[in-house]
């Protein structure tokens, strides 16, 4: 080891800035709320649509006597659950099952379109302004849904596509932001906090969506303000707009630009980033080496198949609860949210565990990632496979299995593939994830549409096929990551050329963290 490297390591050990009560922890919590609101806007629609659509909208079966029960092969012991279900006053939209599948999947049409372009724009615009902009647009689109739903489902599709296009920049901006703010020793801990936002957002949206479905106002009130579910969209959209303003005020692109961070914390992050050989944030994207790298293809395959199963759980579980397990609208929201409550608890409690295993050298970084990702995909695969053989007679067992499967899936967020992106790609992590998530987004609109086709008659046998498909996708993800994952920064993402300059020049590290205000000339 050279003298300069020993010097750098000693500086890192001397400069301390505890994570507790730090500015970077505050930013992680604020980012968590941003993710929470985005995923509430994204996934809350899956429970709201159940209380928006008339039970007779499918028009495929008659409701005379017990013909519904007979045609769907519902066991006699479950008939009491069908009798207890009554139409809600808010179920006034006649959107058939295929239309509902298109609406639920339309978010991901826009989501797929903007991943790559967002990862490039955020490098030019900076994650502070960019993240505020995308959440503002998503929130504004959410506010418009009650108004557009009165006229035609195509209007709702457009609003959802716009919201998806905006949120396509969410993860690239997040990875780009933390590439300069999160020291390697705290990476998993800090990233796991905003990564817990999706689960918490889904929890809140499913519970609140179910509660908002339970009331309606006088028929003399205008349609956009008549039903409880309309206020659900107004609340999520309004809070998202407020969050965007708060983020703009308190957040900076890099520690070096922040007016709210202490000098000691700024120095601590600067030294850590210099030691990590982090490239300048204006470094040109190494497209060739990046696209050929093993790490890139590992994340692409892994996320695609993992997301297929996960998006299916997010979007179609409320329908499964309604059609197979025969839970009422009031029960649906709460029970659909319970798996995500468990996932949130796992994500928020295990991020530090991954860092602990790595820093204490119990596991190499890559092996820790493989362990977390393996459990996070195999557990839901097994649980979904078991669920496929259950019906309304064992409906609470099915809910318990969903809770266990989705809970363990949270390990992907806290220490698996979602953190691994930063491990090997550095400041290019936003671009890497943007490209991979673009392809993975295909599964986002395929999952609900395929489910609507497979389960067109709402039978338990048809839902069994769907759940087996979800289980298989998680299994493929687990195998791919175990074979291909990398744990350290790849050569195309390191700054080895200027390594000695960084170690000998205290000011060089700070330069690496500054975003050049001048635009790079086009090659």
């Amino acid at each position: 080891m050279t003298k300069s490297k020993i010097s750098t390591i000693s500086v890192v050990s001397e400069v301390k800035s505890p994570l507790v009560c730090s500015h970077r922890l505050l930013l992680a919590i604020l980012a968590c709320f941003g993710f929470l609101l985005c995923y509430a806007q994204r996934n809350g629609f899956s429970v709201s649509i159940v209380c928006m659509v008339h039970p007779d909208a499918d028009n495929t079966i008659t409701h005379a006597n017990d013909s519904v029960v007979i045609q769907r092969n519902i066991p006699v012991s479950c008939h009491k659950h069908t009798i207890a279900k009554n139409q809600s006053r808010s179920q006034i939209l006649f959107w058939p099952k295929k239309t509902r599948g298109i609406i639920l999947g339309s978010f991901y049409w826009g989501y797929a379109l903007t991943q790559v372009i967002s990862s490039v724009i955020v490098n030019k615009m900076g994650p502070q302004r960019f993240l505020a902009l995308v959440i503002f647009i998503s929130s504004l689109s959410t506010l418009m849904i009650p108004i557009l739903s009165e006229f035609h489902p195509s209007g709702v599709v457009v609003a959802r596509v716009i919201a998806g296009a905006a949120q396509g920049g969410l993860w690239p901006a997040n990875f780009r932001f933390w590439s300069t703010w999160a020291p390697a020793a705290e990476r998993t801990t800090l990233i796991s906090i905003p990564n817990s936002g999706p689960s918490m957002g889904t929890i809140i949206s499913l519970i609140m969506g179910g509660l908002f479905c339970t009331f309606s106002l006088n028929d003399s009130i205008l349609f956009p303000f008549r039903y409880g579910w309309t206020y659900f969209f107004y609340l999520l959209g309004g809070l998202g707009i407020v969050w965007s303003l708060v983020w703009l005020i308190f957040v900076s692109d890099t520690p070096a630009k922040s007016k709210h961070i202490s000098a000691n914390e700024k120095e601590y992050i600067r030294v850590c980033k210099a030691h990590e050989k982090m490239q300048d944030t204006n470094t040109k994207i190494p497209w060739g080496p990046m696209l050929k790298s093993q790490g890139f293809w590992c994340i692409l395959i892994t996320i695609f198949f993992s997301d297929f199963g996960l998006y299916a759980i997010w979007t179609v579980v409320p329908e499964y609860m309604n059609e197979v397990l025969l839970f009422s609208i009031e029960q649906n929201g709460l029970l659909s949210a319970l798996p995500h409550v468990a996932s949130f608890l796992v994500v928020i409690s295990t991020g530090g565990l991954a860092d602990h295993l790595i820093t204490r050298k119990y596991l190499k970084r890559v092996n820790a990632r493989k362990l977390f990702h393996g459990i996070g995909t195999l557990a839901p695969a097994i649980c979904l496979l078991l669920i496929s053989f259950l019906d309304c007679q064992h409906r609470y067992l099915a809910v318990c299995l969903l809770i266990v499967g989705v809970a363990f899936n949270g390990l992907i967020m806290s220490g698996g593939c979602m953190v691994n992106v930063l491990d090997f790609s550095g400041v290019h992590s936003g671009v890497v994830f943007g490209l991979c998530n673009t392809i993975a987004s295909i599964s986002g609109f395929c999952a609900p549409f395929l489910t609507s086709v497979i389960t067109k008659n709402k039978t338990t046998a048809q839902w069994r096929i769907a759940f087996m498909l979800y289980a298989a996708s998680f299994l493929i993800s687990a195998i791919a990551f175990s074979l291909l994952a990398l744990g350290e920064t790849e050569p195309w993402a390191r700054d080895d050329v200027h390594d000695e300059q960084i170690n000998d020049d205290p000011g060089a590290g700070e330069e690496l963290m500054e975003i050049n205000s001048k635009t790079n000339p086009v090659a």
Side-chain angles (χ1 to χ4, degrees), residues 209-225:
L211 293 175
F212 273 78
C213 286
T214 60
F215 73 90
S216 297
L217 303 180
N218 194 288
D219 288 345
S220 62
I221 297 176
L222 292 175
F223 180 92
F225 305 99

Side-chain angles (χ1 to χ4, degrees), residues 84-104:
K85 292 169 64 177
N86 297 315
Q87 180 191 343
S88 168
R89 285 187 64 244
S90 65
Q91 293 178 299
I92 41 78
L93 301 173
F94 281 84
W95 295 343
K97 192 172 183 67
K98 186 170 287 189
T99 299
R100 298 199 299 274
I102 292 172
I103 292 174
L104 288 172

Side-chain angles (χ1 to χ4, degrees), residues 189-206:
T189 303
L190 284 170
I191 292 293
S192 67
I193 295 173
N195 281 8
S196 68
S199 294
M200 183 54 72
T202 305
I203 294 164
I204 293 174
S205 65
L206 292 175

Side-chain angles (χ1 to χ4, degrees), residues 56 58-72:
D56 293 335
D58 294 323
N59 230 3
T60 57
I61 53 179
T62 61
H63 289 256
N65 301 322
D66 279 340
S67 59
V68 176
V69 174
I70 295 170
Q71 184 166 345
R72 290 170 60 188

Side-chain angles (χ1 to χ4, degrees), residues 187 292-299 302 364-370 416-417 419-425 480-492:
R187 181 179 296 152
K292 296 176 183 177
S293 68
Q294 178 178 326
F296 173 82
W297 284 99
C298 170
I299 296 299
T302 297
K364 291 183 178 180
R365 178 175 280 110
V366 67
N367 291 333
R369 302 293 183 237
K370 289 180 179 180
C417 68
V419 184
N420 181 245
V421 177
L422 275 170
D423 289 336
F424 71 85
S425 57
F481 193 78
S482 67
L483 294 176
L484 299 174
L486 299 175
E488 303 301 330
T489 308
E490 293 214 62
W492 49 267

Side-chain angles (χ1 to χ4, degrees), residues 193-348:
I193 295 173
N195 281 8
S196 68
S199 294
M200 183 54 72
T202 305
I203 294 164
I204 293 174
S205 65
L206 292 175
I207 295 176
M208 287 179 56
L211 293 175
F212 273 78
C213 286
T214 60
F215 73 90
S216 297
L217 303 180
N218 194 288
D219 288 345
S220 62
I221 297 176
L222 292 175
F223 180 92
F225 305 99
R226 187 183 306 163
Y227 306 109
W229 53 263
T230 63
Y231 292 93
F232 175 61
F233 292 115
Y234 296 145
L235 178 64
L236 293 180
L239 288 175
I241 291 173
V242 172
W243 183 92
S244 299
L245 298 175
V246 173
W247 180 263
L248 280 175
I249 295 170
F250 290 101
V251 177
S252 301
D253 288 331
T254 65
K257 288 187 173 183
S258 177
K259 298 178 181 178
H260 305 284
I261 191 174
S262 68
N264 182 65
E265 184 176 0
K266 183 181 294 187
E267 175 66 8
Y268 169 70
I269 299 175
R270 181 195 70 76
V271 172
C272 288
K273 288 301 175 183
H275 180 58
E276 292 169 31
K277 304 178 184 178
M278 193 191 78
Q279 291 180 339
D280 189 282
T281 51
N282 250 353
T283 303
K284 289 184 178 180
I285 300 169
W287 291 106
M290 182 179 69
L291 294 176
K292 296 176 183 177
S293 68
Q294 178 178 326
F296 173 82
W297 284 99
C298 170
I299 296 299
L300 175 62
I301 298 170
T302 297
I303 291 182
F304 178 87
F305 286 102
S306 175
D307 280 2
F308 185 90
L310 190 58
Y311 288 154
I313 292 174
W314 280 344
T315 55
V316 306
V317 161
E319 283 197 296
Y320 169 74
M321 294 276 191
N322 178 263
E323 296 177 0
V324 175
L325 304 186
L326 303 177
F327 286 112
S328 67
I329 289 175
E330 292 78 13
Q331 296 170 305
N332 200 328
L334 176 61
L335 293 174
S336 297
L338 288 178
H340 302 284
V341 173
S343 178
F344 169 78
L345 294 175
V346 168
V347 173
I348 206 68

Side-chain angles (χ1 to χ4, degrees), residues 38-58:
C38 282
Y39 275 75
Q41 294 168 7
R42 178 191 302 197
N43 298 323
F45 200 92
S46 63
V47 71
S48 294
I49 201 170
V50 174
C51 60
M52 295 164 66
V53 176
H54 197 285
D56 293 335
D58 294 323

